[in-house]
Amino acid sequence: MNRISVTVDGVAYRNDVEPRLLLVHYLRDRLGLTGTPVGCDTGSCGACTVELDGRSVKSCSVLAVQADGGEVTTVQGLCSPGGGLDPLQKAFHQRHALQCGYCTPGMIMAARDLLRENPDPTPDEVRHGLEGNLCRCTGYQNIVHAVLTAAREGQEART
């Protein structure tokens, strides 16, 4: 067992974990944060994407011990304390960018990373930026529209 200290969605945790425990299983099974789904368990689909120290990572490809001392943000941590949606969550809702919703947490977390690096992406840049995340329902067009909507609204808020 290894003792880790990690901050998840603004809450500090300190737990003993098996060295081979994946971050996604730590989040879901130990912390009860089930907003991060387990997709493929191989890093191929991106459904489990979270932020670790400000960068998107596929939590099924990261060991919990690798997050020791770090700060993790899940899709559940994006809401304001009053329960208001993050601009990307709002855009996904408004643009109907989900069908079954299984990929949505990973898409939103990957889109945050994309918009942080490129706040004014083209549709092709959005598609390229999200290429590591798969949608089983093939609802990509509305996902691209949602990311572009969030980018546009983010620019309007900054001006």
Side-chain angles (χ1 to χ4, degrees), residues 5-8 23 27 49-59 61-74 109 113 116:
S5 297
V6 63
T7 300
V8 181
L23 180 59
L27 295 171
T49 302
V50 298
E51 287 179 2
L52 174 59
D53 295 329
R55 304 290 304 182
S56 64
V57 297
K58 295 175 180 175
S59 60
S61 298
V62 175
L63 297 170
V65 294
Q66 291 175 298
D68 184 30
E71 187 167 323
V72 176
T73 303
T74 72
M109 299 309 289
D113 208 17
R116 196 171 18 257

Side-chain angles (χ1 to χ4, degrees), residues 100-115:
C100 78
Y102 206 81
C103 71
T104 304
M107 289 286 186
I108 288 173
M109 299 309 289
R112 281 174 49 94
D113 208 17
L114 168 69
L115 294 179

